[in-house]
Amino acid sequence: MKTLLVLGTQWGDEGKGKVVDFFAQKADYVVRYQGGNNAGHTLIYENTPFALHLIPSGILFKNKFCLIGNGVVVDIKSLKEEVEFLKSKKISVTGRLFISQQAHVVLPYHILVDKVSEQGAIKIGTTGRGIGPAYADKAKRIGIRVIDYLEDENFEDLLDNALSDKLALLSASGVNIKKLKSDICRDRKDLVKFLKPFVCDTSLMIDEAIKKNKKILFESAQGSLLDLDTGTYPFVTSSNPVAGGACTGAGIGPDKISSVLGVVKAYTTRVGEGPFVTELFDKTGEYLRQQGAEFGATTGRPRRCGWFDAVVVRHSVRVNGIQNLLLTKLDCMRGIKEIKICTAYKYKGKTYTEFPASRIIEKNAKPVYETMPGFEESISKIKSFADLPKNAKNYILRLEKLAQAPISFLSYGPKRQETIAIKKGVKLL
Ligand code: IMP
């Protein structure tokens, strides 16, 4: 059995899209297991960058199967747009894109609730795609799954049930509930036709594929610090991007994950609100934003930028059982004279080497830094670890020591081929 799980070790945007695209070359199946169209994977295809939000990045390879697991929340309209966009690029998804019948659907009222919630006491800075409210309905047992959406018999009753739960909130925001309902029912007629051919039992499909010795790549969205359980709650997304989420979200047992690869950016970024101990508000932060083109793929928001936080990555290595790390965007740090790495936090005289759960500590802690010399040389033509400038090598070696996991791969540019193995004998798929 050969399966690989690829996930983000920070606050998302580590470059997973490119990494999944890279490993997808060797996979037969690529499976998304959580999140929704809040994710944005920027890929370079035939020299043109474009973003995928729901469909696994593997779709660019014409012979791969791409699955959207039961743990994903699906905005069907947005999915349709993505499929049409791919068609316009001559990439057909017919017969190789499959969606779990148990995935929950995101409906327009989720997006409305998301907007209203953001005006409350705690602003999360969500992507505004209705993701949190859709997962909330799932947990409240009033969600509508893909299979429910397809079945005429129950749909209106389920819709009434879900809407009645939000009546007060939607009415207070001036929403015409009757119109909202009739719009959803009208759109559904077309969307059911679109959706039906893609729907199946993806858990069973994965199991059968594994039995046939097919190679499976599980693709996480967001990052471990945005995880509902292990992240900077409440400034998190509403699903489980961590490795454990792949079991529930793809419908597999833990024995079906052969290996976990953590994608880690050479510095740190975050979009939206929430604690960020190593955030930079100075010229270096701006330099990283410009060099790394750190603007959200989904919302276009400028990403907050800061130094590498080893407390965060060590936490991720542990909660995910990461065996190997893949370092991205080291090339974007070229030209920085002195690089800082956060090794611990300090708050009220106490040093924290493990990621704290307290919102107060997360918000007010100060970083403990060590400093290393930066590098000036271009790394765009490297073929191996040995080709890297000395200071870049030392930086990588220090990061892996602090993170407590080997950095086995390096991505040194946005293109798929700009990725190399830097440890001998590591073969993941
Ligand atoms: P939501 O997922 O839209 O509910 O947003 C919750 C938090 O997760 C916000 O801080 C978002 O900015 C963040 N977030 C959601 N998706 C992504 C992503 O793909 N990359 C980075 N941050 C994300």
Side-chain angles (χ1 to χ4, degrees):
M1 182 186 79
K2 268 271 186 214
T3 70
L4 171 67
L5 197 161
V6 173
L7 53 80
T9 56
Q10 294 150 314
W11 279 283
D13 307 317
E14 297 90 353
K16 291 181 300 296
K18 179 201 142 160
V19 175
V20 169
D21 189 48
F22 176 76
F23 285 101
Q25 296 177 95
K26 293 187 183 155
D28 300 300
Y29 288 71
V30 184
V31 183
R32 258 290 289 277
Y33 61 84
Q34 49 67 235
N37 61 334
N38 50 348
H41 288 170
T42 308
L43 301 158
I44 312 279
Y45 182 70
E46 290 176 349
N47 293 324
T48 320
F50 68 91
L52 287 177
H53 299 283
L54 263 168
I55 300 181
S57 322
I59 205 75
L60 301 189
F61 296 99
K62 299 198 162 97
N63 56 346
K64 313 285 174 192
F65 290 95
C66 289
L67 275 51
I68 295 179
N70 56 275
V72 177
V73 288
V74 183
D75 181 322
I76 306 163
K77 264 191 180 173
S78 162
L79 179 74
K80 187 165 181 261
E81 279 168 21
E82 231 164 279
V83 167
E84 278 163 6
F85 174 78
L86 288 168
K87 267 191 195 156
S88 77
K89 299 272 170 210
K90 308 256 177 304
I91 301 167
S92 166
V93 301
T94 312
R96 60 195 196 92
L97 174 67
F98 295 96
I99 301 160
S100 166
Q101 47 195 0
Q102 285 160 304
H104 280 241
V105 296
V106 179
L107 288 164
Y109 50 84
H110 293 128
I111 298 168
L112 292 168
V113 172
D114 202 353
K115 291 209 169 100
V116 177
S117 309
E118 283 289 88
Q119 287 147 19
I122 300 180
K123 185 173 151 46
I124 306 297
T126 71
T127 57
R129 301 288 160 99
I131 306 301
Y135 278 114
D137 276 6
K138 176 177 176 175
K140 273 175 150 177
R141 293 162 293 190
I142 55 168
I144 297 180
R145 300 167 305 160
V146 163
I147 186 84
D148 304 319
Y149 190 82
L150 295 181
E151 289 174 341
D152 290 334
E153 294 86 335
N154 272 341
F155 181 74
E156 273 204 46
D157 289 345
L158 295 175
L159 182 58
D160 285 338
N161 187 39
L163 282 172
S164 69
D165 171 75
K166 296 155 194 65
L167 224 48
L169 189 135
L170 292 176
S171 308
S173 318
V175 174
N176 179 340
I177 311 278
K178 225 171 146 189
K179 181 167 183 315
L180 178 67
K181 185 183 161 189
S182 88
D183 287 352
I184 292 172
C185 292
R186 184 204 57 215
D187 290 349
R188 180 177 165 266
K189 290 198 180 112
D190 259 2
L191 292 176
V192 162
K193 264 190 237 144
F194 157 76
L195 188 64
K196 222 174 195 163
F198 300 116
V199 178
C200 73
D201 182 339
T202 48
S203 159
L204 193 60
M205 193 178 230
I206 296 167
D207 194 56
E208 284 166 358
I210 289 175
K211 282 181 182 142
K212 286 185 199 147
N213 248 338
K214 300 287 182 200
K215 293 180 180 174
I216 321 270
L217 182 58
F218 296 103
E219 170 183 359
S220 173
Q222 291 85 43
S224 302
L225 272 291
L226 284 172
D227 185 278
L228 187 57
D229 287 79
T230 68
T232 45
Y233 189 89
F235 301 98
V236 291
T237 193
S238 298
S239 63
N240 289 113
V242 291
C247 294
T248 51
I252 53 159
D255 62 323
K256 300 294 185 297
I257 302 170
S258 335
S259 167
V260 182
L261 175 71
V263 183
V264 60
K265 207 182 272 190
Y267 49 94
T268 313
T269 61
R270 161 159 221 174
V271 238
E273 305 296 320
F276 182 174
V277 175
T278 63
E279 184 167 10
L280 290 167
F281 300 95
D282 58 4
K283 276 196 312 213
T284 310
E286 191 49 40
Y287 183 81
L288 288 171
R289 189 171 302 115
Q290 295 307 327
Q291 294 301 304
E294 297 295 354
F295 298 89
T298 301
T299 58
R301 289 180 286 180
R303 295 180 186 140
R304 300 156 64 191
C305 297
W307 295 119
F308 187 91
D309 185 337
V311 182
V312 158
V313 180
R314 207 160 44 234
H315 172 76
S316 277
V317 166
R318 176 168 52 81
V319 299
N320 288 297
I322 287 170
Q323 292 122 343
N324 291 283
L325 288 166
L326 183 152
L327 188 71
T328 61
K329 291 196 154 180
L330 181 64
D331 49 304
C332 305
M333 296 191 85
R334 176 187 174 199
I336 300 178
K337 263 204 161 51
E338 274 194 336
I339 299 177
K340 288 188 177 157
I341 307 173
C342 171
T343 56
Y345 301 159
K346 261 217 146 84
Y347 179 66
K348 289 198 171 166
K350 199 173 159 202
T351 303
Y352 294 83
T353 52
E354 297 302 332
F355 198 80
S358 157
R359 312 177 187 210
I360 299 165
I361 303 174
E362 285 173 7
K363 186 170 174 216
N364 299 302
K366 298 280 171 260
V368 177
Y369 282 129
E370 57 181 52
T371 304
M372 297 187 80
F375 58 96
E376 292 290 338
E377 304 89 331
S378 164
I379 60 169
S380 67
K381 301 251 168 347
I382 57 156
K383 300 252 178 312
S384 70
F385 184 73
D387 298 337
L388 283 165
K390 183 173 142 250
N391 290 349
K393 278 186 205 158
N394 287 339
Y395 184 58
I396 293 176
L397 293 173
R398 186 65 190 139
L399 295 190
E400 68 177 5
K401 184 139 204 245
L402 290 166
Q404 294 176 4
I407 295 176
S408 305
F409 297 87
L410 178 68
S411 154
Y412 56 93
K415 296 194 190 114
R416 186 189 294 150
Q417 61 272 25
E418 290 169 326
T419 312
I420 49 165
I422 55 174
K423 291 263 189 297
K424 286 205 178 91
V426 183
K427 194 165 171 276
L428 299 181
L429 259 186

